[in-house]
Amino acid sequence: MKLMQTDKSDAKGKKAANLKKKFKPVKKGKQKTQPKDSDESDDEGIRPLKETRISDEPVPRKSKWTNRQRVLVLCARGINHRDRHLMRDLRTLMPHHRAEPKMERWKTLQVVNEMSEMKHCNKVMLFEGRRKRDLYMWLANATVGPSVKFLVENIHTMGEMKLTGNCLRGSRPLLSFSEEFTKQPHLLLIKELLVQIFGVPNHHPKSQPFIDRVITFTYLDNRIWYRHFQILSEDGGLTEVGPRFVMNPIKIFSGSFGGDPIWENPVYQSPAKHRQMLRKAASEKYLQKTKKKVDHELNVPKDTHKLTPYGDIFKGGLEERVKEVLKQEKQRSKEERERAKIEKRQKLMKQRDEMRKLKLANAKQSTKKKLPTKKEKMQKEREESDAKEQRKALKKGAKVQKGGKKKFDGKRGVSA
């Protein structure tokens, strides 16, 4: 302690001496030049003073937005209109998102990591469609991993349901998870990803400093059910805002959009296979029905009960049986007469129809004129030409006979 005190006193004494030397009054005129060695030895322990004091320096401002989570939300080509509306709804609920146009199908999923780096995003939400029916969702921690693949089912968008709930745009939500998320290890990992993606960071520039909504994630039937509610009162009054959908986890990968599979759902069945099973069950049901019908027709007994042919004779009294027999005979006679009349009428109708057909056929034959063929026309023309020539020849022969013999004179020529 004594040594420390002596050091302090020495240091104070030196400082005082140096200060006295510094602030000595200087006479006007020629200044005495002191030796350089003495100045250097005195100023060795003193640091040069700053231009501004520490108290005057501006205090570095601490940014309140420390949790700098940005989520890249995009989709691949080939998604349905309903899936596209779901993606738009999730974008409106996440003020910390970054949008990206549709990704081409031929590109690999590793390209998404480069996109996230270009957009300065930590997390990625990718929607992928198959056959315009099935929607798959990827949630990933960009570049590092892990990543989870879900099958999205039972989609209901906000515009489709038209619910009464309404919350402030850009407000921060409360995230509530069911108890089962703490029991299983793969659900713990999924919970952490969901918290980092759906949770809006505090003091985000695009967020509002209010909490007026709740997003619930419940694990039931090996699926995660997403619901979004508005907080009406502090007592716990809620109204649903939307959207609604169910996430069926398929696989968890160690890397971002790739790597070794950490966990795989043993109960998962692809939607294409599920539809195939339904079609097969429907076809089997139809085959079973047809088989039952055939078996029933083959095994049906022809005579259900073996009855005696004259068993009705011994029922009731004699008079009643006689009356019944007479009635039956009268009915049979009436039926036979009616049948005979109907048969006669049918025969007459058939005869009339046959007569009409014959008359029509005769009329057609008489009215029809046979058109001459080409050969017949040629023959007629030839016959007519021959007849004309014969007539001309006959006319010439008649003229010669009337004139008689011809005489020749020397002067006039021929004379009668």
Side-chain angles (χ1 to χ4, degrees), residues 123-135:
K123 304 289 180 291
V124 181
M125 184 187 284
L126 173 67
F127 291 94
E128 204 176 5
R130 302 275 172 84
R131 300 180 183 178
K132 294 279 184 180
R133 283 181 174 184
D134 312 321
L135 180 68

Side-chain angles (χ1 to χ4, degrees), residues 99-292:
E100 183 72 17
K102 287 180 182 177
M103 192 181 76
E104 297 295 334
R105 279 184 176 181
W106 55 269
K107 289 183 179 178
T108 56
L109 293 172
Q110 296 299 326
V111 178
V112 183
N113 294 323
E114 294 174 12
M115 289 180 185
S116 62
E117 281 180 12
M118 287 164 71
K119 290 276 183 179
H120 304 287
C121 294
N122 307 328
K123 304 289 180 291
V124 181
M125 184 187 284
L126 173 67
F127 291 94
E128 204 176 5
R130 302 275 172 84
R131 300 180 183 178
K132 294 279 184 180
R133 283 181 174 184
D134 312 321
L135 180 68
Y136 294 91
M137 184 170 71
W138 287 82
L139 299 179
N141 189 12
T143 64
V144 183
S147 56
V148 189
K149 188 181 180 181
F150 297 97
L151 171 69
V152 185
E153 300 170 330
N154 302 334
I155 298 164
H156 299 284
T157 58
M158 283 196 277
E160 183 186 344
M161 288 192 293
K162 295 179 182 177
L163 295 164
T164 54
N166 188 14
C167 58
L168 187 70
R169 184 165 184 156
S171 62
R172 297 179 66 215
L174 292 171
L175 302 176
S176 77
F177 294 87
S178 59
E179 289 182 1
E180 294 193 5
F181 278 93
T182 56
K183 293 175 182 177
Q184 299 180 29
H186 71 277
L187 289 176
L188 278 166
L189 193 146
I190 290 167
K191 179 186 173 182
E192 189 60 34
L193 257 179
L194 291 170
V195 167
Q196 291 181 17
I197 287 168
F198 287 98
V200 179
N202 195 10
H203 299 290
H204 190 275
K206 290 183 181 178
S207 68
Q208 299 289 339
F210 306 106
I211 295 168
D212 64 342
R213 58 198 180 96
V214 184
I215 297 172
T216 62
F217 297 96
T218 53
Y219 187 75
L220 184 71
D221 252 356
N222 299 317
R223 289 169 177 78
I224 299 164
W225 300 69
Y226 174 96
R227 293 287 183 274
H228 183 222
F229 299 96
Q230 179 197 356
I231 301 168
L232 292 174
S233 60
E234 293 180 2
D235 303 336
L238 300 172
T239 54
E240 194 170 355
V241 182
R244 288 181 187 175
F245 59 92
V246 181
M247 295 183 286
N248 189 0
I250 302 166
K251 270 187 184 183
I252 300 173
F253 297 94
S254 60
S256 177
F257 297 100
D260 299 325
I262 301 168
W263 176 83
E264 190 173 354
N265 191 354
V267 191
Y268 172 72
Q269 190 180 38
S270 66
K273 196 169 185 180
H274 181 66
R275 285 193 290 269
Q276 187 183 359
M277 294 287 283
L278 288 172
R279 284 197 297 273
K280 195 178 276 186
S283 64
E284 283 176 0
K285 197 175 182 182
Y286 174 73
L287 287 168
Q288 284 174 1
K289 277 185 181 179
T290 51
K291 278 181 182 178
K292 278 182 181 178

